[in-house]
Each structure stands twice: as C-alpha cells, then as structure tokens.
Amino acid sequence: MLEQRRKIASDAMQCVSGMQVWALKHSERRLAADLEFLDELIASSFEKPALEAKG
C-alpha cells in the first residue's frame, strides 16, 4: 500500500504545486509512520515480558 501511495504521489507531483505537494508528502509520511509503529508493536509482542517487582 505504501509503494502504491508513493507511486501515486510521484506521478501527481508533476501536476500539482504549493500546498498540494505538501499534502501528498504528508499522506505518504503518515502511512510510513503508521507502518513503522505497527512493525515495532508486532516486534515487541514477541519479547519476553518483564517481571513485575514484588513489594
């Protein structure tokens, strides 16, 4: 999905200007950040849970 978004944005860059360029960049970066977050979340689910300190 991110690669498709990048292709669309790349193609559209030739037809837009000003704030439209920034809107395209923003949507691409937001999707990339969401994917990075989910990768980290999945990776952390495989980590051994920390033992809770007993008081």
Side-chain angles (χ1 to χ4, degrees), residues 9-55:
S10 176
D11 292 345
M13 289 293 182
Q14 302 167 18
C15 303
V16 298
S17 63
M19 293 307 291
Q20 294 170 327
V21 170
W22 288 103
L24 288 170
K25 289 180 180 184
H26 179 254
S27 64
E28 182 182 324
R29 289 178 183 171
R30 208 170 84 196
L31 180 55
D34 285 345
L35 292 172
E36 182 180 343
F37 172 81
L38 291 172
D39 285 343
E40 289 179 25
L41 178 64
I42 291 168
S44 73
S45 69
F46 292 106
E47 293 175 1
K48 201 173 188 180
L51 296 175
E52 292 183 25
K54 294 184 180 182

